[in-house]
Amino acid sequence: MRLRPATPDDVPALAALEAELFGADAWSEAAVMGEVEGPGRDAVVAVDGGRALGYAVIMGAGDVADLQRIAVAADHQRQGVARALLDEVLAHAAGDGADRMLLEVSTANAAALAFYAAAGFVEIDRRRRYYRDGTDAVVMRHSLRRAACGGRG
């Protein structure tokens, strides 16, 4: 597996991953293109051979980076792909001057909540009925200053 910047050529494969993983909440192909090419966006894809295994997108806004999405093919979950993607976008965000990363995750997604907590994200807020199915979102934050200071601060 290798990580590389996502390109417009990746969009059909990423949109297919969206449909597989997120159903009614999946981004359309046009939405995926907007995330790959949009201003302030940084999209990374994990590939093995010619297959996209997963991707991550962040949106930078000054000192804050928002994690828009991490998606990993079902047959490659729990194999380190998501963690590699997360580490990559955390490094990109810190390199671009962000001092923190924010994200929202459904209260119903226990695996994602545990994944982000293990990666150093902490809950800072809740958004009631944020998702289409009525579930709440947990807003989480990761300090990038700590990573930039070698774990101090």
Side-chain angles (χ1 to χ4, degrees), residues 83 115-122 141-143 146:
R83 186 56 199 237
F115 169 75
Y116 292 124
F121 283 83
V122 295
R141 177 187 48 79
H142 186 290
S143 174
R146 178 182 299 150

Side-chain angles (χ1 to χ4, degrees), residues 105-113 126 131 133-138:
V105 62
S106 172
T107 55
N109 193 341
L113 288 164
R126 297 247 173 159
Y131 293 101
D133 67 0
T135 59
D136 296 346
V138 176

Side-chain angles (χ1 to χ4, degrees), residues 6-33:
T7 70
D9 290 340
D10 296 313
V11 169
L14 303 184
L17 274 176
E18 281 284 319
E20 170 194 336
L21 297 169
F22 301 111
D25 290 318
W27 289 343
S28 67
E29 196 164 310
V32 173
M33 181 66 79

Side-chain angles (χ1 to χ4, degrees), residues 2 6 12 16 29 32 34 38 40 48 53 55 60 95-96 99 101 106 113 124 128 146 149 152:
R2 71 181 179 92
E29 196 164 310
V32 173
D48 186 17
L53 305 178
Y55 72 102
D96 287 343
D99 65 14
M101 184 174 286
S106 172
L113 288 164
I124 60 168
R128 302 291 173 212
R146 178 182 299 150
C149 297
R152 300 177 311 275

Side-chain angles (χ1 to χ4, degrees), residues 27-121:
W27 289 343
S28 67
E29 196 164 310
V32 173
M33 181 66 79
E35 294 298 325
V36 168
E37 291 200 308
R41 303 303 200 280
D42 192 358
V44 177
V45 63
V47 294
D48 186 17
R51 181 177 177 213
L53 305 178
Y55 72 102
V57 179
I58 59 172
M59 181 176 68
D63 59 352
V64 178
D66 285 313
L67 180 62
Q68 303 293 98
R69 182 81 93 204
I70 288 185
V72 175
D75 64 339
H76 280 78
Q77 292 177 2
R78 293 180 171 68
Q79 296 180 26
V81 178
R83 186 56 199 237
L85 287 163
L86 181 60
D87 289 346
E88 185 76 5
V89 295
L90 286 167
H92 284 214
D96 287 343
D99 65 14
R100 64 197 177 279
M101 184 174 286
L102 302 176
L103 62 82
E104 293 93 10
V105 62
S106 172
T107 55
N109 193 341
L113 288 164
F115 169 75
Y116 292 124
F121 283 83

